[in-house]
Amino acid sequence: MKRSKIILSLMLSIVLAISLLAGCGGNETTTAPAADTTTTTAAPADDTDETTAAPDASGDGYAGELTLMHFSTSEESQGNGGSDGFRTVIANWETANPDIALNQTVLANDEYKTQVATLASADDLPDVFLLQGMNTKLWAEQGLIMDMTKIIEDSPHYADYNTSYFTPFTDGDKIYGLPVLTGGTCTVIVYDKAAWAEAGFEEFPKTWAEVEEANEYFTANGYTESIAFGNSGKWQMNSCFLSTLGDRFTGPEWFQSIIDKGGAAFTDEPFVKALDYTGMLFQSGVFNDDFNAINNEDAREYYISGETPAFIGGNWDVSYIGATLLETDPERYENTGFAVLPQPEGATGSENSQNIGLGYAVAINSKLADDADKLAAAIDLAYYVTGPDFASYVAENYALGGLTQVSNVDLSAFDQFTQDFYNYSYIDTAACEIYDSYVDGAVWDVLNTELQNLTNGSTDGATVAQLTQEAYEANY
Amino acid sequence: MSEKAYGMTVGKKVGNGFMATILNTIMIVFSLSCIFPLVWMFYSSLKLKREFNANIVGLPPAPTLDNYKQILTNADYHIADSMINSVRTTILSVFLIVMFGFVVGYILARVKFKGNRIIWLMLLMGMLIPVHSLLVPIYIVFNRTGLNNQWYTLLIPYIAFGMPIAVFLIHSYLKGIPIALEEAASIDGSGFTGTLFKIIMPICRPVMVTIAIIQTFACWNEFSFALVLLRDVGLHTVPLAMTQFTGQFSSDYPKIMAAMLITMSPIVIMYFGFSKNIIKGMVAGVVKG
């Protein structure tokens, strides 16, 4: 007994001593991790090396430290084309700028949002960081972020930018960030073409009445319901359903007015109609009964296992479904198609819309205005990570698009599933806004909670709209 | 054979056996419900993400150690660093909380001086202020003084926020100990320091162990200060390191579970090493003879 105590004490002492020694040396800020892209992409290392030599990847002669904060963790980059591409181009930029010590703080998304908000409160933001659309107006008012309007106009890639992506990062006529990562759809119906053909629909129904009709067939033929959906995280109903369905009722001008505080209100009749329609749909039996008790990760398993012939989610779900089906059920993989939400009765907006955008932008700390060389390096980094090198990388490896448009994307290297999804995302559909990229998180907290009540049948659209409007007036 | 065995009739024995079976069954079910999460964590860590999502409670169809291999070989995860950081921070914080708490608690309980009551009330108020409301001010102070993002950064808030409960417990415990002990020690020639550490401290051992247990868990699991005050990934503690397996839209639960099992090991070693002391500390003082 005594001996074991001695051994234990010895072990703990050694751990303590080692940790203290490690601590003394652990003061260095983590420099950029090598782009350990463990994903099996076709990204040729030689290609990326070539791009590092490109003149636009130079830090304009600045030598010193530059701090960067983002959330493309090693884990996030596995299977996420945007994150993988982002890490890759950062590594390239570092290689091309050996005189610049790029000190990165890389946190998971939730923790990133908490920490960057704390840093903003303390006016201690890093030199370069990722700005969420909903923070733009407030941080711009507080003078925390640099007005990048001129910087963007002077960009060598300006002609190729998809300027519609700038909206969340705009306040008045000023732009505060270069949209970054990939523009992926947040609302897509993933469906089994063969199953729906058996139900009498060669393509996905254009109206919800037809979906309800098909639902009778599916429930009578071994399926639990027609469409799987998961909303236990609350944000899914907003991001992956209402943003698009709302656009069908209100049109884009209404939401632009909400963003601009131009007079539109959540209590406006078209939006209340969208809410009521959402409530009615989720009470109709078309969706799985437990949609408010499970999240999107659980719901997509219903589709993968064949329990439901369709699923509604975002581009992140499509990546997972594709990878899983390819391995477990190649036939279902081949039969999988993509569709926009059917048009609700009484809606007058675009029938082909789906919400897509870039939720984050590369922003620069306004304090860099005092250091011209450092600012030049920061601008160079911002141009590079949102520029053609990034866009080409994600297009060629993942069939995804970013801020900079790439002409003549060769999709022939990809299978039909990937090609169809690329066309759905960027070619065949009309873009509308993602609600929670704008306004204020407190407003969406109220709406998201009330949407759960609405779809559970315990409240109505008018009440949800009223509560959301109150939160909007109080917080925005 | 005698009808009576150990003073009980056969009827009573059967009755006792029946009751014992029922009670044991209840206890076994209860024990299993406590153990199951650990067992579930273990076998889930042997699954792939896809297998876990397809069947959350099922056994792994093809057990694999891939998650462990990835966690231990991917330098970006910083699992080893985070464990070392957590062990160091927890040991130092708990040791200092217990020692400072004991000394301050003793002085406040036994020494009458002007301001004693105010210090006591201020320490008690420390337990009433929500930690989250102080995050930003503390961040600003640490940032301006250069105390943030150092290996010792977390010791300061952990000790500061651990002190009130430690002082409160020591103070309450000492109120039950007659002052005659110190008087007797004084008559025998013991000085203040000798009395404090050689007479009182051994008596306070049960409550000090209780404080150590509470604070070990508090420091090991603390998240908010670690997130806000540390920017360098190499200084992150275990709770922060765990977050990197949760992506923006999805989580890799099997990997999280594998990482949790790895990072739990120091605490488990500590528990098994000191289990007798911990249990003794928790029950000592319950019965007074």
Side-chain angles (χ1 to χ4, degrees):
Chain A
M1 182 62 202
K2 256 191 167 176
R3 204 177 152 198
S4 68
K5 268 189 179 175
I6 291 166
I7 291 169
L8 187 74
S9 307
L10 206 63
M11 276 170 61
L12 288 171
S13 306
I14 291 167
V15 169
L16 184 63
I18 291 170
S19 59
L20 281 169
L21 285 172
C24 297
N27 198 13
E28 295 163 23
T29 312
T30 312
T31 47
D36 56 336
T37 49
T38 46
T39 42
T40 50
T41 65
D46 293 347
D47 285 358
T48 51
D49 284 348
E50 274 174 27
T51 56
T52 57
D56 60 350
S58 71
D60 285 0
Y62 170 72
E65 187 195 41
L66 192 68
T67 54
L68 168 68
M69 197 166 152
H70 63 91
F71 53 86
S72 286
T73 59
S74 174
E75 187 71 19
E76 184 85 51
S77 70
Q78 294 176 32
N80 180 333
S83 287
D84 177 26
F86 190 60
R87 287 173 68 90
T88 303
V89 290
I90 288 173
N92 290 348
W93 191 85
E94 273 198 298
T95 314
N97 295 282
D99 294 337
I100 299 175
L102 187 67
N103 291 334
Q104 296 185 60
T105 302
V106 191
L107 296 167
N109 185 265
D110 278 350
E111 287 64 43
Y112 172 83
K113 287 191 276 193
T114 306
Q115 197 176 76
V116 86
T118 309
L119 298 177
S121 307
D123 191 13
D124 189 36
L125 284 164
D127 299 328
V128 182
F129 60 98
L130 302 195
L131 169 73
Q132 205 175 2
M134 68 172 74
N135 291 327
T136 306
K137 282 180 188 289
L138 181 64
W139 292 4
E141 273 172 28
Q142 293 172 342
L144 299 173
I145 46 179
M146 184 173 283
D147 172 9
M148 293 177 68
T149 317
K150 185 77 171 60
I151 293 168
I152 290 164
E153 284 169 6
D154 291 345
S155 167
H157 320 302
Y158 184 70
D160 296 324
Y161 286 162
N162 181 343
T163 49
S164 66
Y165 286 150
F166 284 106
T167 320
F169 313 103
T170 304
D171 186 21
D173 55 356
K174 292 178 178 171
I175 306 172
Y176 289 89
L178 272 160
V180 71
L181 301 172
T182 50
T185 180
C186 290
T187 307
V188 56
I189 295 180
V190 182
Y191 71 105
D192 182 345
K193 289 186 275 190
W196 285 81
E198 280 171 23
F201 296 91
E202 287 304 321
E203 56 182 14
F204 198 82
K206 299 286 183 199
T207 67
W208 286 102
E210 287 176 321
V211 174
E212 287 182 39
E213 187 189 313
N215 192 49
E216 289 175 20
Y217 169 84
F218 286 127
T219 49
N221 286 278
Y223 292 96
T224 49
E225 289 89 10
S226 299
I227 304 175
F229 191 75
N231 184 45
S232 66
K234 297 183 184 177
W235 58 268
Q236 293 95 338
M237 189 69 75
N238 185 336
S239 292
C240 305
F241 199 86
L242 186 66
S243 284
T244 296
L245 197 94
D247 178 73
R248 303 288 179 83
F249 279 96
T250 65
E253 298 79 15
W254 174 83
F255 192 59
Q256 190 59 50
S257 175
I258 287 280
I259 298 167
D260 299 338
K261 292 200 261 188
F266 285 96
T267 47
D268 290 345
E269 194 186 347
F271 187 70
V272 176
K273 274 187 183 174
L275 290 171
D276 282 330
Y277 204 87
T278 301
M280 184 274 291
L281 279 177
F282 279 87
Q283 291 283 304
S284 69
V286 166
F287 293 91
N288 46 307
D289 294 337
D290 56 353
F291 60 84
N292 269 336
I294 62 170
N295 65 22
N296 55 306
E297 292 177 74
D298 305 316
R300 65 197 183 193
E301 293 297 335
Y302 289 169
Y303 177 75
I304 290 166
S305 65
E307 287 176 63
T308 62
F311 162 79
I312 295 179
N315 67 84
W316 51 90
D317 295 307
V318 174
S319 316
Y320 179 83
I321 289 170
T324 308
L325 285 182
L326 189 59
E327 199 176 310
T328 60
D329 192 349
E331 193 182 336
R332 201 170 168 78
Y333 179 77
E334 295 288 329
N335 281 327
T336 293
F338 307 101
V340 293
L341 293 185
Q343 186 74 342
E345 286 167 38
T348 54
S350 166
E351 294 180 5
N352 203 28
S353 63
Q354 49 98 5
N355 56 341
I356 186 169
L358 296 173
Y360 288 87
V362 178
I364 297 175
N365 190 330
S366 58
K367 289 176 185 167
L368 262 63
D370 301 332
D371 187 339
D373 289 344
K374 197 173 189 179
L375 176 61
I379 292 170
D380 189 72
L381 175 64
Y383 284 159
Y384 188 69
V385 297
T386 57
D389 283 17
F390 171 79
S392 300
Y393 182 88
V394 293
E396 287 164 14
N397 293 292
Y398 295 97
L400 290 169
L403 170 68
T404 306
Q405 291 163 328
V406 182
S407 54
N408 304 322
V409 177
D410 180 15
L411 292 175
S412 60
F414 295 101
D415 58 22
Q416 197 58 45
F417 181 100
T418 311
Q419 288 188 34
D420 287 351
F421 189 57
Y422 182 88
N423 289 329
Y424 171 87
S425 300
Y426 306 113
I427 311 288
D428 299 335
T429 54
C432 66
E433 300 295 354
I434 305 163
Y435 283 170
D436 54 10
S437 286
Y438 303 84
V439 191
D440 189 283
V443 178
W444 304 125
D445 284 346
V446 172
L447 178 63
N448 295 354
T449 303
E450 290 305 316
L451 279 172
Q452 279 202 330
N453 295 331
L454 177 75
T455 50
N456 282 335
S458 58
T459 188
D460 56 50
T463 310
V464 175
Q466 184 57 42
L467 292 169
T468 311
Q469 180 63 22
E470 285 168 14
Y472 174 70
E473 287 168 10
N475 294 288
Y476 188 64
Chain B
M1 196 179 174
S2 167
E3 194 187 42
K4 289 187 176 181
Y6 303 105
M8 286 191 293
T9 63
V10 172
K12 273 187 181 172
K13 273 177 76 180
V14 171
N16 280 351
F18 181 69
M19 278 306 291
T21 308
I22 290 177
L23 286 174
N24 280 331
T25 308
I26 292 169
M27 295 310 288
I28 288 168
V29 170
F30 183 74
S31 303
L32 285 177
S33 73
C34 293
I35 295 166
F36 180 72
L38 267 179
V39 176
W40 176 68
M41 262 174 71
F42 174 68
Y43 73 72
S44 295
S45 71
L46 305 176
K47 287 178 177 179
L48 297 175
K49 181 182 176 183
R50 176 172 40 78
E51 292 166 348
F52 180 82
N53 287 345
N55 187 354
I56 290 171
V57 287
L59 291 168
T64 171
L65 292 172
D66 275 4
N67 291 320
Y68 290 93
K69 281 181 199 159
Q70 283 182 38
I71 289 165
L72 294 172
T73 54
N74 190 336
D76 284 343
Y77 292 155
H78 293 282
I79 290 293
D81 285 348
S82 71
M83 281 170 68
I84 290 169
N85 293 334
S86 275
V87 168
R88 178 183 58 214
T89 306
T90 302
I91 289 176
L92 290 176
S93 300
V94 170
F95 176 74
L96 293 172
I97 288 168
V98 171
M99 292 314 294
F100 290 161
F102 170 69
V103 174
V104 175
Y106 178 81
I107 289 170
L108 290 177
R110 290 291 201 246
V111 183
K112 285 180 184 164
F113 60 94
K114 211 176 178 185
N116 179 313
R117 197 76 191 148
I118 292 170
I119 294 173
W120 169 241
L121 284 174
M122 280 173 69
L123 280 165
L124 283 189
M125 279 169 65
M127 287 196 285
L128 304 176
I129 298 168
V131 170
H132 292 96
S133 66
L134 298 173
L135 277 178
V136 173
I138 286 178
Y139 173 78
I140 292 170
V141 170
F142 272 59
N143 194 33
R144 299 252 165 100
T145 52
L147 286 171
N148 65 332
N149 210 31
Q150 307 288 337
W151 70 267
Y152 52 80
T153 295
L154 294 177
L155 296 178
I156 302 164
Y158 288 3
I159 293 167
F161 285 95
M163 280 283 283
I165 185 80
V167 171
F168 178 75
L169 288 174
I170 296 277
H171 187 276
S172 308
Y173 193 81
L174 282 169
K175 288 284 177 194
I177 295 170
I179 202 161
L181 267 175
E182 286 118 294
E183 287 168 354
S186 179
I187 290 164
D188 289 344
S190 172
F192 179 82
T193 314
T195 306
L196 181 63
F197 290 106
K198 288 183 182 162
I199 311 286
I200 302 299
M201 191 187 253
I203 296 170
C204 288
R205 192 176 155 189
V207 73
M208 290 170 81
V209 171
T210 307
I211 294 165
I213 294 166
I214 294 169
Q215 293 304 325
T216 300
F217 288 117
C219 295
W220 186 265
N221 293 321
E222 202 283 329
F223 181 77
S224 304
F225 284 118
L227 173 63
V228 170
L229 298 177
L230 301 175
R231 219 185 268 194
D232 181 354
V233 180
L235 293 173
H236 281 181
T237 52
V238 164
L240 270 181
M242 290 295 108
T243 62
Q244 63 195 317
F245 303 111
T246 304
Q248 194 177 358
F249 300 110
S250 64
S251 305
D252 192 339
Y253 290 108
K255 213 176 265 177
I256 292 173
M257 289 175 189
M260 282 169 78
L261 285 168
I262 292 170
T263 53
M264 271 164 59
S265 53
I267 285 281
V268 173
I269 291 172
M270 214 184 275
Y271 178 78
F272 283 118
F274 296 107
S275 60
K276 280 190 179 169
N277 286 333
I278 289 170
I279 293 164
K280 225 188 268 177
M282 291 181 86
V283 297
V286 171
V287 182
K288 288 196 173 181

